[in-house]
Structures are given as structure tokens and as C-alpha cells.
Amino acid sequence: MDRTALQLRTIAFNAKRCRLRHPGRKLDMCAAEATASLLQVEETFSACLARIDALILKPLLQAEPSDQKGKENFKLFLLLNDLFQALWNLTEENYRILKQKCSTSESFCIQDIYTVWKGDLFLSLYIRYFVTFANYVVVHGFEHATKSKSEAWKDHKAVLKQFLTDFTSETSMSLALYTVLHKPIRDHIEQYILLLTKLQEVLKEGSEKTVVTSAIKEYVKLQSFISQVLDEACFTKSLWKSLGYKFTDMLCVPERRLLEDSKNLPISASTNRSDRILLFDDVLVLIQGNSFQSFDLKLVWVDENCREKSAPGMYGLRIITPEETFFLFAKDPQMKAVWQWKLNQAVRQALNGKRDFPLWGKTGEGTEPPSCRFFTYVFRLEGKFKSASYEGEWHWGKPHGKGTLKWRDGRNHVGDFKEGLEHGFGICLVPRQSEDRYDCYKCHWYEGKMRGYGICEYGNDMVYKGYFKDNVRQGFGILEKFSAEHPFKYTGQWENDKKNGYGVWEDKDRGERYIGTWLDDHKHGQGIVVTQSGVCYQRTFHADKMVGSGILLLEDDSVYEGNFTEDLTFVGKGKLSFANGFVLEGTFTNKSGQGLQMHGTLNTSNEQLDDRITKAQLGLEEFPVEKRWKGIYDQFLEFIHSGCKEETEESFTGFHIQTSKELRKSQEYLFCQRGTEDVSWKIEDILEDLVQHQGLESLQSYLEKALKSSLHPLGKLLKALAIAFQATYSGIGANRHLLTMAQEEVKYYAKKIWEFYQGLLHLALEQKGQLPAKCMDGDTSDQKACNVVLPLILPCFYPELFMLYMLYHEREDDLYCQGIMDLSLFPDIKLLEFLDVQKHLWPLKDLTLTTNQRQSLIKDKCFLSATECLQKLITTVDPREKLVILQKTYEEIESTVSRVVDKDYKLPMDDLLPLLMYVVSRAKIQHLGAEIHLIRDLMEPTNRGGLYDFLLTALESCYEHIRRIRLHQRENCHVTHSS
């Protein structure tokens, strides 16, 4: 009787026994019979494992070798024994559960068949056992074990031989051990499959049959897997026998498997670089003579589409690795296809970190390995990355994506890579040679070099924020030193890593600011120096030294023209003009211990110096506004010319970022968190919105939002310009002699922003295939900039600009304020009378009297609404809004007069000026002269000659009249004291 028939009889007998034991119970026949049969199989298998453990494993465990190779193999045998014990324990556990089911009244179901319901547990353990078993085979473990000189092993050999004869006819002890430790287990798996197949045949369609069918498929796969694992192990073991000791010692590891050998399946490498090619499951090895090269499969790419002219008539595969590319050639397309398939499968499985189940077959997880990977590699060949370790993303053999480079000397680069080079945003640490500090570059890279905006924090307490090109500072940038020793700040142009062109240097030790041109890190050419004390001078510089004559403007309005030293001592020929008109002209000397001496003439006949001299404006001819801050404009122009590519946006327009924290947020916004603002500022959305907002009102609203945003290119441009403006005119730079420079600079900013807006709009229309609309209102670009852009950007520059206006008009405003103080002493009636306001226009109805009050003593009641309206002049920075306030003030005055005379009354100029002067005196606006001149200088050209111009002229007349009141009083006092 064969084994299957016996098992079926056993199943029937056990089922019948269960029915007799529990006649009243409804029994699932299929499950019960399968369980009973499996019980017997597990009992037999467990007994077999017990004999193997007692007669083979325990004696081998007592025979621990003393040599190094033997010890390594013994560790592997210990692991194999552990897995054997786990397999035995699982079998015992299964047997115990099955026996319990057969001896109780519980109903049977598929869940009772442990090998089905817990199939994953069985499969996992069998796979681990046979992989470890194959590892032991590869390293000739059984050969080493049978050669053991242990006494326990020698005494046991006779018993063992008799036991092995029951399993195999092999005479070789090592081969017999190999057979007995895998054949019973494989036979047991086959019994599982036979039993489950019989069970599947009798089950009805449904979930239980599906579960059993799935289990059968997995056990069949396991059979195939075991067969392939053992074949690979024997194939690999044979290779180690055929190779020399040198190669075996370096290449042989227990887990490594030979997948293909060019001796079995011929293929050759390009340029005769190898005698033999070996494909393992983790490396590709090229052997040439007594040396070899190995390539980690995780970093091997196989390209079938290659053309190599050096091997006509051959069928090639291009093998790409991080540092080398070579070709493999086969004589026919079939052989090429086999190698290509095996290479791709091996690479894919190496990347997955596990072999397929089964190892080879149609069930593989895809035929092509991914071209994009994540891995760590140490570069060894000569080149930019020699000795560097790269951890990150790869694409076709090159770093591509995000990664980290580390060199042995401490250099470190974290960021984006493209086709093997740093490309995109990155952070690079470079150790300084002389001290234990690092230079930290946080910037954009292009094809392996720094390019675009970045922040560099040097190890010597200096920080650079600006643009780079080809790894050097190039374009606009700020270099600042924060340490207590010689702190400074440079804001300006860079060329070839040096200060070149227009720039501003602030020496915080000396309390000076230099505004001018540079050459190779030296002040060179025309320059203006402003000191903390208010002194200002303009000179020509050569390599940081002052040369020639210059102009020195002193705080007391004196003006010196001639030569002078760095400590502002007059030397040589010069002319000193005093504010009172006296002029001292001649040769100045400064001898030690004798003080300043002068040989020349003093002219006292001149009148007082006029404002053209005492308020001389510097830098206008020497530094044309269009040549200042060219580095800022160039970056934005390049951004537009590049087509406004989103990946280059921060590179070209990054100057809104001034701290490392802002830099991180910016990168998160670019790559991770788009849409954190209410408005989306993606480039494609920006270009679309530009087309949709071409109408004047819509455009103004759009530009207002864009310029306020640090994420819109125009907002970034404005931020960069504001930084440059503040570096020049804030703090020490707040000097009245720079007012015109600052004023024309702000106007030029508006013009350039309008030009860049036009550039963005043209690009947006071009992408849509549209033509830009022609300007219908006849406004020039300058007029558009002044009308549309200037009011929007003025708040960014207003604090510094208005300070310059205040300093320029300081003396006039002082006289005006004194006049206001004098007029404020007058009650309303007296002031109206003093200003010659016609009595029929006096708003006496507004003077509500209380007890003990006289009408002539009331103050600040007349024209109250107009006064309050005019006081709002200082609440806005927009010249247009200031003019509107002035118009409303005029309307309030006219409304009050119309109420007084009980009819509509249009004020003639003779009536308006006294009334407006009254309102101005009561409004008590500080720095009114600065306000008037700022409005005049920055008002829209279209308002000149209109109502606004008329009202501003009227206000200016009132200001001058009040100022002269105080001036005349001073002159009268001076005459009285003289007489």
C-alpha cells in the first residue's frame, strides 16, 4: 500500500472515531479528516526531528573548532541549530493543538488546521531555515564539521553512520549530513501540499476553499524557493572551489550567491578589462588576472540602448556605476537578453533588500529596477568628490535629488544635486585651517558651483548676504562683521569675490560711512564720507587714500574747499567760507605744537552764504542714479530673461531673506508648503494674474498686494532696494547734503519696478500668444511709475527720506515753529484781527460763551473742523493723500465761511490766505516745511498747475509768512540791542 492510500485510510478512521465519540454533534467532515491526518504526519515528523537533534546536532554542538575559519562556520551552525529547534517547536505546537481538537467535543473548521491558518508563520520559519542552511553549504560547513577532531564526535561516528543509512545511500559523511538536514523537511512540505490538495478537492466553493487554495500556492512557492536556494548554494560552492584562495578569501561570504558566470553564459567586457565576469546577488565582479573589481548592485544601472562602435557585430549592455561606465558584449541577442534580465532582477532584489519568493520566476516584483534610488557611497577615484561619502538620491549612476556629501577633512554639503553636481539650494560647511571653526555657505548652486543668492556665515564672525557666481561673491551683497573688534558693514557691488563698483561702507569704530566707488577691495574713485558728528565731505580716493582736493561741509554751515587729512585737518591751499559770508583763502599748515596756521586773506565784504552753498547736494554727478545698485537690477533682469522659472526664483530674487531662519522657511515654502499666504504667489499664478489685472484700479490693487508680499518677485525686489536705501541714508547717513541723492533714488526705484512689472507682463502675454496692449492715455513710463508705483513703495523709504527733508529744512522749520508759538498766544478774535481776516468772515457763532468768559479770550474754537482736518496731514506718507487732505481743509474753510455768511461763498485768494494761515497756526504741524517740500518733490506731474498745485502754493505762502514773522522779530530784537 502506498503512502497516500495509507494517509487516506487514516483520515477516514480518525473521522469515524470522532463520530463514535460524539454521536450528537454536527461534524465538518472535511476539516476533521484533514486534521486527523495532519496529526499523524506531524507526530511522525516531530519524532524524526527528535532523532536528528539527538544523533547529529547535539554531537556537532560539542565539537567546537579552534581555528578561525572553523569558529566562523560554527557560529553559522549555531544559528542553523536555533532555527531547527524553532521549526521543531512549531511542529510540536501544531501537533499539540491538533491532538487537543481531536480529543474534545469542539467543532472542526479550517482555522483548526494550523498550517493553513498560520501559514505565514510556517513559511517564514522554513524560509529562514533554508537560507541559513544554504549559507552553511556555501562556506563548506558540512565538510569542516565532519573533519572535527572532537572526541565526542569521533565516538558518535559509528552510530551516526547507521542512522544516516536509513536516509541516504551516500557514503560521504558531509554529503550524508547535508541530505539528512534538508530532505526530511522538504518531504514534509510535500506532504502538506498533498493533504491540502485533497482537502481543496472536497471543499465547496467559498471562503474556506479560497483560503486553502491560497495556502497551497504558498507551499508550492516554498518548494520552488527551497530548490532554487539549494541550487544557488551548490553553484556558489562550486565557484569558490574553482577560484584561487586570494579571490575566495576576499569575495566569499555566507550570504553571497552566484547568479551567473561568464564561463557558463559567455559575455565579455569592453576594452578587454576582464577575463571573467561574475554576477552575485549583491555585487558584479570583473576579474582580470590576479585582481578584480566589484560593483555594488544597488548602484548599478543597466542600459540596453547603447551603441559602441568599438565592438561591431556584438550585442552590448552599458553598465553605469557612480564612477565608471563600461560595456558588456554578447555574441547573440538571446544571450544579451538573459544577462540583461538577470542583471535587472539582481539589482531590483538588491534594492529591495530581500530575494523574491520564489527567487526566479514570473512572479517577480517587476522586471525593471527603479532608475531613482537612495544609497550611500564613498567616492574613491580622482575628482571633485574624491574620498567623499555621499548619502542620498541617485539617478543613472549620479547623485540626483536631495543628498549629503561628507569629506574626511570636515567639509560637508547638504542639499540638492543634479546629474552628479550640486544644483539647487544647499548648505556647505568648510573648516577653517587656522582655527576650530567653519565657514557655512547657505546658498543656491548651479552645475556644481555657487550661483545666485546665499548667506555665508564665516568662522571669523563675518556674515555675507548676497549673490554668488562660480563660487565667488559676485553682484550685490552685504558683508558685515559683528565682533567687538573693528565692526563694519559693507553694502554694495562685488566682482570676483572683491568689493568693486558702487558701495556703502560703515566703519562702526570711527562712526563714519563711506558712499562711493571701490576697486579690488579698496576705496577708489569718487566718494562721500559722512560722520556721526554731522560733518560730510566728498573726495577722490586711490587705494583707500584721499588724493587731490575736495569739499568739506561742516555742521555750522561753514564750507571748506581744498586739501585736508583723514582727521579733517586743513593742509595746503584751500578756501574756508563761513556761514556769515566771511571767506578765508590761502595756505593752511598744521605744525606740531603750534596748531593750525594759515597764510592768506580774509574777505569780510561778502553777504551771508546762500542755501546753494550751505546746503550743497553731493554725489549727483559722481554717482548717476542709474549706476547705483546695478547688481540688484541685474539679478531680477536675468530672472525675467530666464523665463521666470520657478526653480530659479529664490536664486535670482532671494534678497528678502536676511536670516538663516528665513532661509529655511523660504525653502520649505518653495518645496513643501506652497499656499501659506492668502494669495498664491506661484510663478504660473503670478503670470496669469498679471494678464487679468491690467486695468488701472485692478492693477493698483494687485501691485499693492504684490509689493507687500515677500514671496512675489516685485515684493522681493522692493525688499532688496529698501535694504540698500537704509544702508545709505539711515543712522549716520542721515545728512541733509544727501537729500537729493535719496530723492532721485526713490523715484528711480519706482521706474525700475514699473519696468520689471512690464517685463513680467510681456512674458505672461507672450506665453499666452498675446501682444501687449498699447498705452492709450499717453503716459510715459516715468509718469506711470510716478503715478502708480511711487505711492505704493514710498512707505518703505519714508522714515529715512523724511528725516533727510527734516534735516534739510531744519532751520526754516525752527523759525516756523517759533512763529507758531508766538501766534498761539493770541485768542481767536485777536489772531483773526492780527491776520487781517475780514470781520464778516469771522465765525463768531462758534464761540459759545460760559459765565465769566469774554468772546475776545476764546482760543482754538474758530474753524475747528478745518484745523482738525489739516492735522491729518502727518498721518499719511502718500503725497496724493496729503494733497487730498489739503483740499478737504480748503473745503472745510469754505463751508464754515458759507455758513457764516448764509450763502455759498467762493473764497478769493485775498480771503483764503489769511484764513488758511489762521488754520495752519492752530493746527501746529511740526516740520511743515519738510512736509511741503516732500509733497512738492514727489507729487504726480499731472497735478502741476491744477487745484492741488494751487492749494500747495497757498500752504507754502502761509508757511513762509509765519516763518518771516519770527525772522522779523529776531531782526527787530537785533536792531534794538544794537541801538
Side-chain angles (χ1 to χ4, degrees):
M1 184 181 297
D2 63 11
R3 181 182 297 176
T4 304
L6 179 62
Q7 288 172 345
L8 290 175
R9 281 190 63 182
T10 304
I11 291 172
F13 172 77
N14 289 333
K16 183 178 179 181
R17 186 178 64 180
C18 289
R19 287 197 300 273
L20 290 173
R21 189 182 301 158
H22 309 288
R25 186 179 56 161
K26 183 178 180 181
L27 184 67
D28 187 332
M29 285 291 297
C30 298
E33 291 173 357
T35 305
S37 179
L38 189 58
L39 177 66
Q40 185 180 12
V41 169
E42 293 293 69
E43 184 178 15
T44 304
F45 183 55
S46 181
C48 176
L49 295 179
R51 291 183 67 199
I52 293 173
D53 179 60
L55 296 175
I56 297 177
L57 297 180
K58 279 188 170 58
L60 283 175
L61 288 173
Q62 296 175 10
E64 184 174 352
S66 57
D67 61 296
Q68 183 62 33
K69 187 69 176 177
K71 287 183 177 180
E72 292 175 3
N73 289 349
F74 189 71
K75 288 180 182 177
L76 200 57
F77 181 75
L78 289 175
L79 177 60
L80 182 65
N81 177 67
D82 290 343
L83 292 168
F84 180 90
Q85 302 299 327
L87 198 61
W88 186 11
N89 292 336
L90 187 63
T91 303
E92 289 283 323
E93 177 70 11
N94 191 28
Y95 173 75
R96 184 186 61 77
I97 293 171
L98 290 170
K99 189 174 182 180
Q100 182 182 1
K101 289 290 182 183
C102 289
S103 61
T104 62
S105 59
E106 296 178 14
S107 60
F108 285 92
C109 61
I110 292 298
Q111 285 89 330
D112 296 329
I113 305 177
Y114 209 49
T115 49
V116 175
W117 199 246
K118 294 291 184 180
D120 290 346
L121 186 61
F122 278 78
L123 289 170
S124 173
L125 190 53
Y126 279 118
I127 289 170
R128 289 168 59 201
Y129 176 82
F130 276 100
V131 167
T132 306
F133 180 84
N135 291 345
Y136 196 62
V137 170
V138 166
V139 297
H140 301 82
F142 292 110
E143 287 82 348
H144 287 288
T146 55
K147 293 176 183 178
S148 172
K149 296 180 180 180
S150 165
E151 292 299 325
W153 174 250
K154 288 177 182 179
D155 295 341
H156 201 72
K157 269 190 177 181
V159 179
L160 182 61
K161 282 184 179 181
Q162 180 60 44
F163 170 71
L164 293 175
T165 306
D166 297 341
F167 286 91
T168 176
S169 60
E170 296 288 350
T171 56
S172 166
M173 180 70 75
S174 61
L175 194 56
L177 283 175
Y178 165 79
T179 304
V180 79
L181 284 175
H182 82 85
K183 193 173 185 304
I185 300 173
R186 293 181 69 180
D187 292 343
H188 188 60
I189 293 170
E190 189 175 350
Q191 287 180 324
Y192 279 161
I193 295 172
L194 286 171
L195 289 171
L196 292 175
T197 303
K198 293 294 182 182
L199 178 61
Q200 180 200 30
E201 291 173 356
V202 296
L203 284 174
K204 294 180 181 180
E205 293 294 333
S207 59
E208 289 190 339
K209 186 169 184 175
T210 303
V211 170
V212 173
T213 302
S214 176
I216 293 171
K217 288 180 181 179
E218 292 303 311
Y219 280 109
V220 171
K221 285 183 185 179
L222 178 63
Q223 266 190 323
S224 177
F225 174 81
I226 293 170
S227 177
Q228 291 169 350
V229 162
L230 295 180
D231 288 346
E232 278 188 358
C234 294
F235 189 33
T236 308
K237 178 182 174 182
S238 300
L239 172 70
W240 300 139
K241 284 184 178 180
S242 67
L243 285 179
Y245 286 114
K246 176 182 177 182
F247 293 133
T248 302
D249 288 344
M250 288 188 285
L251 290 174
C252 180
V253 291
E255 298 80 10
R256 181 167 289 161
R257 299 291 181 271
L258 178 65
L259 307 182
E260 195 51 82
D261 187 343
S262 61
K263 282 193 173 182
N264 300 327
L265 192 65
I267 198 166
S268 60
S270 56
T271 63
N272 298 318
R273 62 184 293 162
S274 66
D275 302 324
R276 192 173 182 182
I277 300 169
L278 303 174
L279 174 62
F280 293 96
D281 61 342
D282 60 338
V283 292
L284 177 66
V285 176
L286 276 60
I287 297 178
Q288 176 72 49
N290 293 323
S291 63
F292 71 91
Q293 278 185 289
S294 65
F295 302 95
D296 191 326
L297 288 183
K298 293 176 183 176
L299 285 173
V300 168
W301 285 259
V302 182
D303 182 13
E304 63 171 324
N305 301 313
C306 67
R307 297 288 184 271
E308 179 66 13
K309 296 179 181 179
S310 63
M314 302 291 281
Y315 299 87
L317 294 170
R318 185 163 63 130
I319 306 300
I320 300 169
T321 70
E323 296 187 88
E324 294 184 69
T325 298
F326 55 91
F327 295 87
L328 298 180
F329 294 109
K331 292 182 178 180
D332 59 67
Q334 291 79 16
M335 203 170 293
K336 169 189 171 181
V338 173
W339 269 97
Q340 180 186 342
W341 184 82
K342 288 200 172 186
L343 278 164
N344 279 330
Q345 295 303 307
V347 170
R348 179 179 54 76
Q349 293 184 48
L351 288 170
N352 289 341
K354 62 179 182 178
R355 305 293 300 277
D356 286 346
F357 181 77
L359 297 179
W360 307 101
K362 296 180 180 179
T363 57
E365 302 174 7
T367 56
E368 295 285 338
S371 58
C372 297
R373 306 170 189 175
F374 187 95
F375 199 66
T376 301
Y377 179 78
V378 178
F379 291 90
R380 63 184 190 281
L381 300 183
E382 287 295 333
K384 182 178 181 180
F385 297 155
K386 183 181 180 182
S387 301
S389 169
Y390 174 78
E391 180 183 11
E393 297 171 335
W394 296 79
H395 184 259
W396 284 104
K398 295 180 179 179
H400 190 94
K402 297 195 177 298
T404 301
L405 267 174
K406 293 182 180 179
W407 282 266
R408 293 177 182 175
D409 61 4
R411 281 178 296 158
N412 192 329
H413 182 97
V414 181
D416 298 320
F417 293 80
K418 183 177 180 182
E419 296 182 0
L421 295 172
E422 305 95 324
H423 191 95
F425 179 75
I427 299 175
C428 183
L429 287 176
V430 180
R432 299 181 71 85
Q433 294 180 353
S434 59
E435 47 194 319
D436 187 21
R437 291 190 174 191
Y438 287 82
D439 293 340
C440 180
Y441 296 88
K442 305 171 185 177
C443 62
H444 294 265
W445 300 69
Y446 181 82
E447 295 182 353
K449 296 181 179 179
M450 288 185 288
R451 178 176 172 182
Y453 180 76
I455 297 176
C456 178
E457 297 167 344
Y458 299 102
N460 56 0
D461 297 324
M462 287 196 288
V463 176
Y464 173 80
K465 303 170 186 175
Y467 295 104
F468 292 86
K469 187 175 182 181
D470 295 337
N471 286 338
V472 297
R473 294 169 290 195
Q474 182 85 9
F476 177 73
I478 299 172
L479 180 67
E480 189 167 6
K481 185 176 182 181
F482 296 95
S483 64
E485 186 178 354
H486 307 305
F488 67 82
K489 183 178 181 180
Y490 171 79
T491 305
Q493 191 71 11
W494 294 79
E495 198 172 302
N496 294 325
D497 217 34
K498 294 182 179 180
K499 296 182 278 292
N500 274 288
Y502 181 76
V504 177
W505 171 278
E506 183 170 339
D507 188 327
K508 297 181 180 180
D509 273 349
R510 292 173 59 90
E512 290 183 353
R513 183 173 295 171
Y514 170 85
I515 304 166
T517 56
W518 296 74
L519 180 66
D520 293 339
D521 274 340
H522 298 292
K523 304 181 186 84
H524 196 91
Q526 291 296 316
I528 299 170
V529 176
V530 184
T531 67
Q532 210 161 20
S533 62
V535 175
C536 180
Y537 62 89
Q538 183 171 313
R539 288 290 296 268
T540 301
F541 289 80
H542 182 85
D544 286 336
K545 302 295 183 182
M546 294 190 296
V547 296
S549 60
I551 180 171
L552 175 62
L553 304 168
L554 302 172
E555 184 65 13
D556 62 356
D557 283 348
S558 300
V559 178
Y560 175 78
E561 298 169 85
N563 199 1
F564 49 89
T565 62
E566 286 189 8
D567 61 359
L568 307 184
T569 302
F570 307 154
V571 291
K573 290 185 177 181
K575 181 173 76 170
L576 177 61
S577 302
F578 297 96
N580 61 4
F582 290 7
V583 176
L584 185 62
E585 188 170 4
T587 302
F588 294 86
T589 57
N590 186 20
K591 295 182 180 179
S592 177
Q594 298 180 7
L596 181 65
Q597 295 180 344
M598 187 269 176
H599 297 281
T601 59
L602 174 64
N603 188 344
T604 60
S605 62
N606 294 337
E607 297 180 358
Q608 185 173 352
L609 296 180
D610 60 23
D611 287 351
R612 287 177 298 175
I613 298 175
T614 59
K615 295 183 178 180
Q617 295 299 291
L618 304 180
L620 302 179
E621 294 180 0
E622 293 76 15
F623 315 120
V625 67
E626 60 274 6
K627 292 186 178 180
R628 301 177 216 160
W629 314 125
K630 194 171 178 294
I632 297 177
Y633 305 129
D634 287 346
Q635 292 292 330
F636 283 78
L637 193 62
E638 190 175 350
F639 174 59
I640 293 174
H641 288 167
S642 72
C644 296
K645 295 177 182 177
E646 188 168 17
E647 63 269 19
T648 64
E649 181 183 349
E650 290 295 301
S651 173
F652 289 131
T653 63
F655 224 91
H656 61 293
I657 298 165
Q658 287 293 293
T659 66
S660 297
K661 186 176 181 180
E662 288 175 341
L663 195 62
R664 286 194 296 273
K665 285 184 177 179
S666 174
Q667 293 307 306
E668 289 170 1
Y669 173 79
L670 276 179
F671 301 112
C672 310
Q673 301 174 351
R674 285 289 191 184
T676 53
E677 288 197 348
D678 293 337
V679 182
S680 172
W681 294 120
K682 289 184 178 180
I683 286 297
E684 58 266 26
D685 295 334
I686 289 172
L687 298 179
E688 178 64 31
D689 287 346
L690 285 168
V691 177
Q692 303 298 326
H693 295 83
Q694 295 187 66
L696 182 58
E697 290 186 11
S698 178
L699 172 61
Q700 286 178 326
S701 175
Y702 174 80
L703 286 178
E704 184 176 7
K705 291 179 181 177
L707 290 167
K708 285 181 179 179
S709 171
S710 64
L711 302 176
H712 192 288
L714 294 179
K716 295 173 183 177
L717 173 59
L718 180 59
K719 176 68 174 179
L721 294 173
I723 289 170
F725 191 83
Q726 290 165 5
T728 311
Y729 304 109
S730 67
I732 298 173
N735 191 289
R736 62 186 178 184
H737 301 291
L738 304 179
L739 171 61
T740 308
M741 262 186 80
Q743 178 207 110
E744 66 175 12
E745 206 164 294
V746 172
K747 290 181 179 179
Y748 190 72
Y749 293 162
K751 177 183 176 182
K752 295 303 290 186
I753 289 174
W754 179 257
E755 287 179 8
F756 284 121
Y757 157 74
Q758 289 288 324
L760 289 170
L761 178 60
H762 287 184
L763 178 64
L765 293 171
E766 189 178 282
Q767 291 182 358
K768 285 181 167 288
Q770 301 177 18
L771 294 175
K774 292 183 178 179
C775 186
M776 302 300 293
D777 52 15
D779 284 353
T780 64
S781 178
D782 287 355
Q783 289 174 327
K784 280 285 189 182
C786 185
N787 296 346
V788 179
V789 180
L790 184 58
L792 298 176
I793 70 170
L794 194 55
C796 294
F797 310 104
Y798 192 82
E800 292 79 20
L801 186 61
F802 191 68
M803 175 61 72
L804 294 174
Y805 272 96
M806 287 194 299
L807 293 172
Y808 189 90
H809 298 282
E810 185 177 14
R811 287 177 174 78
E812 295 89 331
D813 277 342
D814 283 346
L815 290 173
Y816 154 78
C817 287
Q818 290 296 326
I820 290 293
M821 291 292 291
D822 292 342
L823 293 177
S824 67
L825 300 176
F826 286 92
D828 288 352
I829 299 300
K830 290 291 185 181
L831 184 57
L832 289 169
E833 185 178 2
F834 176 76
L835 296 175
D836 292 331
V837 176
Q838 296 189 40
K839 289 189 177 182
H840 70 280
L841 302 179
W842 293 5
L844 300 180
K845 299 175 183 178
D846 297 338
L847 305 183
T848 305
L849 299 180
T850 60
T851 307
N852 299 325
Q853 278 190 326
R854 293 202 306 274
Q855 201 173 60
S856 60
L857 299 179
I858 297 299
K859 287 180 61 177
D860 300 327
K861 296 294 183 181
C862 294
F863 297 100
L864 182 60
S865 60
T867 301
E868 291 176 345
C869 184
L870 186 60
Q871 286 172 337
K872 295 177 182 177
L873 194 72
I874 63 173
T875 62
T876 179
V877 302
D878 187 347
R880 293 179 305 182
E881 294 179 4
K882 290 179 184 288
L883 289 170
V884 170
I885 290 170
L886 187 56
Q887 182 185 5
K888 288 182 179 179
T889 301
Y890 166 72
E891 291 170 353
E892 287 294 335
I893 294 173
E894 203 166 62
S895 174
T896 302
V897 170
S898 296
R899 182 166 47 80
V900 170
V901 299
D902 289 329
K903 63 177 181 179
D904 288 339
Y905 191 84
K906 296 298 179 183
L907 287 169
M909 183 58 115
D910 290 344
D911 289 342
L912 173 63
L913 278 177
L915 288 171
L916 184 58
M917 194 180 302
Y918 173 87
V919 171
V920 170
S921 66
R922 287 302 191 228
K924 300 176 184 176
I925 297 173
Q926 282 190 320
H927 314 296
L928 183 59
E931 294 277 6
I932 292 171
H933 285 87
L934 182 140
I935 298 170
R936 175 75 70 191
D937 292 339
L938 301 180
M939 67 188 295
E940 296 175 7
T942 53
N943 290 327
R944 302 191 191 283
L947 174 62
Y948 286 146
D949 197 358
F950 164 74
L951 293 174
L952 186 60
T953 302
L955 181 63
E956 197 169 4
S957 298
C958 295
Y959 171 79
E960 290 295 331
H961 191 75
I962 293 171
R963 190 171 67 86
R964 287 196 182 96
I965 289 174
R966 187 62 184 178
L967 183 62
H968 291 156
Q969 287 180 353
R970 282 190 180 180
E971 290 175 348
N972 291 336
C973 288
H974 179 70
V975 170
T976 303
H977 286 302
S978 299
S979 59

